[in-house]
Amino acid sequence: MTLKLIRNAALICLVAFASPALAQEHSGHEAMKQDSMKAQKGDQSPSSKAFVEANTKMHKDMAIEFTGNADKDFVLGMIAHHQGAIDMAKVELEYGKDAEIRKLAETIIAAQEGEIKDMKAWLEKNGG
């Protein structure tokens, strides 16, 4: 093979492998944009606005820069995900009326806070 053919083959492989990742990243941003637009058209009560805010923050915080270390990437993404659950549970406690669901929200907060503490300790121990 000539150098030109090798370079062209490498370029084709690069485009083939990069395109799905770029498309996924773009579609993720598009989905978040569409979710935001849907939320603006939906219910505008204080609880709905609080849920939209918590959800938007969670998705933004979950958009981590991946390191190639699956363990670290998992922990970083899950910390944001768990914090989102805590934030949504707090919205329930502020606006919700059902005693059973309010109790569930309290349980979620306690569990997720404990897991976040464990994950942060793991990051600290493992150079995160």
Side-chain angles (χ1 to χ4, degrees), residues 50-51 54 83-96 102 105-106 108-110 113:
F51 280 126
Q83 185 60 54
I86 291 167
D87 294 344
M88 286 186 272
K90 288 179 178 178
V91 173
E92 167 59 26
L93 292 177
E94 184 173 350
Y95 297 101
R102 290 176 57 80
E106 290 171 349
I108 287 170
I109 291 169
E113 285 178 341

Side-chain angles (χ1 to χ4, degrees), residues 69 72 119-128:
N69 177 332
K72 183 177 180 179
M119 288 184 282
K120 285 183 175 179
W122 183 90
L123 282 173
E124 199 171 297
K125 185 175 102 179
N126 292 281

Side-chain angles (χ1 to χ4, degrees), residues 1-11:
M1 280 185 139
T2 68
L3 186 57
K4 185 176 179 182
L5 282 173
I6 293 171
R7 190 182 68 227
N8 288 344
L11 184 59

Side-chain angles (χ1 to χ4, degrees), residues 47-98:
S47 65
S48 293
K49 287 180 180 182
F51 280 126
V52 168
E53 185 179 318
N55 193 42
T56 300
K57 180 183 181 308
M58 178 184 68
H59 283 98
K60 178 181 170 275
D61 292 348
M62 286 178 61
I64 63 169
E65 184 174 328
F66 292 99
T67 67
N69 177 332
D71 299 323
K72 183 177 180 179
D73 293 344
F74 171 75
V75 169
L76 290 171
M78 288 307 292
I79 288 171
H81 188 264
H82 281 32
Q83 185 60 54
I86 291 167
D87 294 344
M88 286 186 272
K90 288 179 178 178
V91 173
E92 167 59 26
L93 292 177
E94 184 173 350
Y95 297 101
K97 305 291 185 227
D98 186 282

